[in-house]
Amino acid sequence: MSIPTEETEVIIVGLGAAGGIAVYPLTQAGIRIVALEAGPWRRNEEFPPDELTSWQFRNTLGPKFNREWPTWRESAGAPTVPAPASLGKMMNGVGGSTVHYGAWSRRFLPDDFRAHTSTLERYGEEAVPEDSTLADWPLSYDELEPYYDKVEKAIGVSGLACRVDGKPPRREGNPFEGRRSDEYPLPPLRDFAGGELFSAGAESLGYHPYKVPAAVTSREYDGRSACTYCGWNSGYGCRFGAKSSTLVSTIPKALESGLLDIRPLTRVTRVLTEGEKAVGVEYVIATGERRRLRGQLVILAAYTYEIVRLLLLSGSETFPKGLANSTGQVGKHFMTHQYLEVAGLFPGHAMNRFAGATPQAVCFDDLNADNFDHTGLGFIRGGTVGLENSLQPIGAANIVPPTLPVESGVEAFPIPRWGRAYKEFLLENWNSVTFLRAQPEPLSYHGNELDLDPVAREGGPLNLPRVRVTYSVRENERKMSAFLLERMEELMRSMGAKQIYRGPAFTGILSSHDVGGVRMGEDPDSSVVDRFGRAHQVEGLVVMSGATFPTCTGSNPTETIQALSWYASDQIVRELRPREATREEAEPLVGSSSRNGS
Amino acid sequence: MLSPREGAVLDAVVDRIFPSDDLGPGAREAGVVTYIDRSLAEWFADDLELFQACLIELDHSASERFGKPFANLEKEQQDQMMAEAERGAVQPGGLDLSRFFDKVVMRTREGMFCDPSYGGNRDKIGWRLLGMPGYQESFTEEEARLDASPRPRRPLALADIGFAPRNGHLSTRDSQEDDS
C-alpha cells in the first residue's frame, strides 16, 4: 500500500516560537511552505481565563505534551521516574507555547555568547569544572543583534532600552545589556506594587533593576489592541490578542503572502532521508492515516524534547544511531533552569498582584553571567533575579503558606497546609505575599543528556518511545544556588518583608527552559548543527529550537530562539533565493560551517 | 464516582482541610466534594482507586479505634486521624495515606477556588471569602499599587463572560485519545 505523498518547497515541523517566526522572512522572500503542527489552530476567543486549564494545573492546551511526558534518572544506573516539572509544561497548537507563556522577552548578554572564553580569560582553566562541556556559541551577540531587533518589531515587545547606538545610556534601563541598533517598538508596561518594592530594595543594595521587556502590547500595535491588564497571562492564551504570540503576529503576516499552508492536528513521526539528504517527512493526520511530504528543506522547529526524539527515530542505513547522530552528539549537553524562589510576607499590606499579569515584571542582571567577581566563590556564571505580577485564586491558596505544590517534597513550613490555622493564615495574608525568582545558569556536563527511554512509551496508536532525561545537579550549580538564595533573602529583607520563606534548590527537570541536545558549533565532532541550525551531516535539514543552544545562560530563552530562527531563515533565503536576499546578505558569510557539499 | 460511604468520608475530610467556621464558609458550602467527584470521573480518573482505597481505610480505622464511622467522629478525633494520614498510616500495617493526603489537600484548594462551572466554588463563595475578583477585563494602574483598594467588583466567572463548558462538562482526558 503506498502512502499518499505530496511535494512542496520547504517543510516546517512545529509552529511555535521558532517556526512561527521563520514563516515570516521565508514567505517574504517568496518561499513556499507547508507547516505541520501537531496541535490545533485556535482563535483568540477560544482561550478562557480558566485557572484549572492552565499549565499550572491540567495543561489542557497541551494534550500531546502531557501524553509524551519525558522520564528522568539522575545518572545512568539510577532508577527512572516520570520527570518532575517546575514551570515546565508546554502546549501544542499554532503559536506553540508563545500562546500561554509569561511573555518575558529578553535578549542574551554579549558575554553569554562567549562564556567559555570569558571564564578562561578572567579566572583561568581551573575555574571550569572538569566534568563540564562549557563552550562558546559559534556566533556573537553583535551578529544576532539585528535579528533581536527584527523580532521585537515583528511581534511587538514593550520595553525601555538602555544602550541604543548613538544615544546616551538610560539610567532606568539595563546597564548590562548589549548595544542595540534601535529602541523597543513599544513603551514598557505599567508600574505595580511588587515592582516598586523590588526596585527600591534592589537599588538600596547597589543592584540595577529594570522593567522586563514584555511580548505584550502596551499600546495598540499592528492592528492589535493594547493590554487591558486583566491579570490572566502566564498559562493562558490572550483573548484580546495583546500577548505577542506568533499566532497573532508573524504567522498572520506570513499568511498574507499566500505561500504558507498550515496543517494543524498533524503529527510528524519521522524525517525521510535518502543517503545524507533529508527529503521530507512522514506524518499522521487526525484520522490516523499516514502521509508523506517531500521538500527541498526540512526545518525541525518543535520543542527541545520532540526534536531530539524525531532525530533519534529517523535513523537509516546512513545514520544507524539516529539522524545527524553519527558522532553520538544528539541528546548531549542538555540543560534546564532550576528556578529558585524566595517568598516574603508583608503583613497588613496589599500587594494586589491579581491586578496585573506576569509580563509586568522587574529584574536585574547584576548577579547574572560574569557581571560580578566570582573570585573565591567556588562557581562560575550566575542568574537573573526578578519578580513578576499575577495571582489567580487557586494559586493564592497554594502560595500561602509560601510553598511549592505539595508533591515537591519541600520540608514543612511553620503554617500547616490544612485546617483552621491554614484558613486563618490564608484569609489574613493571601494578598500580602510576593515572590522573588532566580534563573541560575547551569553549565552543560558529560552525563546530562537526552535519549530514548528503552521501556517507557507514550501510549495510544503511535506509542512512540518517551524521551529520557539523565540529569544531576552538579557542584557548580549547588554553590551558585546557595549564593543566589542568600542574596535573594537579603533582597527580600531590604524590600521590607517581615517573614521570609526559602524554596528548594532542586525544583524539577521540565522547566519550559529546557535547552541543548542538538548543540550548535563549528566542529562537527562536538556539535550537531552550525550557527544557522544546519545539520553538519545532513543536507537539507535545519533545526530551529532552544535544543541548539550551546549554553543555557541565566536568562529566558524565547526571544533568542526567535532571533536565531530569523537569522537561520535569512541564510535559507540566501541559499534558495539568492536574488531575493539583499545586497548585503547576498555574499555568503565567511567561515560558515563545514557542511558536506557546500 | 464515589459510593455514598466514600462520599461521606470525603465530605468530612475536606471539611477538616478547609473548615466552615466563624471565619467564613468552607469546603462544604463551596461544594468541594462535587468538584472532587467530577475530577475523579474525568481528568483525575487515574486517582479514583487510590481515593476509594484510602477513604475506606480511614473509615475502617475510625470504626476500629473509636467505634464510629469517620464522618461521625468528633472534630478533634478526625483532626488526629488526618494528621496521622498526612504522615503515613492510620492503623498498624495499614495503607500509607500520605500520597492521598497530598492530593486531597490540592483537590480541596482547587474545589474551593476554581471556576464554579466545575462544581466547586459554588456561587463564587471561595472567591468572595478571599475578596478575589475572579475574571475581570481590566484593572487600572492605581489598583495595582501597594495597599491600593481596587474598586469593588462583582466577581466574574466563565459563565458571566460567555464561556459555557463544552458538552455540559469539561473535556474528559488531558492527553490525546488518538494521535491527532
Side-chain angles (χ1 to χ4, degrees), chain A residues 45 49-50 58 63 66-67 190 193 196 228-230 267 349-350 352 393 398 417-420 423 430 462, chain B residues 17 19 21-22 24-25 86 102 109 118 130 135-140 144-148 163 174 176 179:
Chain A
E45 310 84 75
D50 176 357
R58 294 172 58 195
N66 295 342
R67 135 167 290 159
R190 298 189 315 216
E196 290 176 321
T228 61
Y229 298 87
C230 72
R267 172 85 187 270
H349 285 293
N352 294 328
N398 281 339
R417 298 182 289 159
W418 59 280
R420 185 192 167 84
K423 180 180 176 181
W430 69 270
L462 286 183
Chain B
I17 293 174
D21 52 27
D22 56 297
E86 186 171 22
D102 285 352
R109 294 177 184 185
Y118 286 88
L130 293 184
Y135 176 74
Q136 298 294 327
E137 215 169 84
S138 68
F139 291 94
T140 65
R145 293 222 182 272
L146 186 68
D147 299 334
F163 282 98
D174 291 330
Q176 285 177 314
D179 270 300

Side-chain angles (χ1 to χ4, degrees), chain A residues 200-458:
Chain A
E203 277 168 11
S204 78
L205 292 173
Y207 301 130
H208 301 82
Y210 63 97
K211 282 187 177 173
V212 173
V216 167
T217 52
S218 58
R219 303 276 184 275
E220 272 188 31
Y221 190 74
D222 262 2
R224 290 156 46 206
S225 49
C227 177
T228 61
Y229 298 87
C230 72
W232 295 76
N233 180 295
S234 186
Y236 311 92
C238 177
R239 294 180 69 209
F240 306 107
K243 180 164 17 186
S244 301
S245 71
T246 57
L247 172 65
V248 300
S249 59
T250 43
I251 290 170
K253 288 181 203 186
L255 283 166
E256 283 170 23
S257 68
L259 296 168
L260 173 58
D261 174 0
I262 297 179
R263 313 256 180 106
L265 300 175
T266 301
R267 172 85 187 270
V268 171
T269 52
R270 191 180 168 79
V271 178
L272 302 170
T273 52
E274 285 165 8
E276 291 174 345
K277 189 165 162 36
V279 298
V281 295
E282 185 167 300
Y283 61 96
V284 174
I285 61 174
T287 57
E289 290 165 65
R290 286 194 296 161
R291 296 269 188 280
R292 285 189 179 156
L293 181 60
R294 294 179 63 93
Q296 289 181 49
L297 178 66
V298 175
I299 300 175
L300 297 182
Y303 193 58
T304 302
Y305 298 113
E306 181 67 297
I307 290 179
V308 168
R309 179 163 72 161
L310 268 177
L311 290 175
L312 294 176
L313 288 176
S314 300
S316 61
E317 255 181 45
T318 313
F319 296 104
K321 296 199 289 187
L323 187 56
N325 197 28
S326 305
T327 57
Q329 284 290 301
V330 172
K332 299 283 191 284
H333 320 291
F334 172 76
M335 299 154 286
T336 185
H337 272 147
Q338 300 289 328
Y339 303 102
L340 306 172
E341 290 187 355
V342 166
L345 180 62
F346 296 76
H349 285 293
M351 306 296 292
N352 294 328
R353 293 170 58 215
F354 56 86
T358 318
Q360 276 184 297
V362 286
C363 73
F364 55 78
D365 280 321
D366 300 72
L367 299 178
N368 196 4
D370 196 38
N371 293 337
F372 59 105
D373 187 358
H374 289 68
T375 305
L377 293 177
F379 66 89
I380 56 173
R381 313 307 292 172
T384 305
V385 176
L387 176 149
E388 62 192 19
N389 219 5
S390 183
L391 187 66
Q392 276 93 45
I394 308 172
N398 281 339
I399 64 163
V400 180
T403 184
L404 294 172
V406 296
E407 291 90 1
S408 72
V410 178
E411 63 178 84
F413 288 104
I415 312 296
R417 298 182 289 159
W418 59 280
R420 185 192 167 84
Y422 161 80
K423 180 180 176 181
E424 193 167 26
F425 191 81
L426 174 67
L427 264 51
E428 182 67 31
N429 295 304
W430 69 270
N431 197 19
S432 304
V433 179
T434 193
F435 278 95
L436 298 172
R437 183 180 289 142
Q439 302 179 51
E441 172 177 359
L443 303 182
S444 56
Y445 290 94
H446 293 295
N448 281 0
E449 57 195 38
L450 305 178
D451 65 0
L452 295 181
D453 197 294
V455 174
R457 288 178 173 265
E458 65 181 44

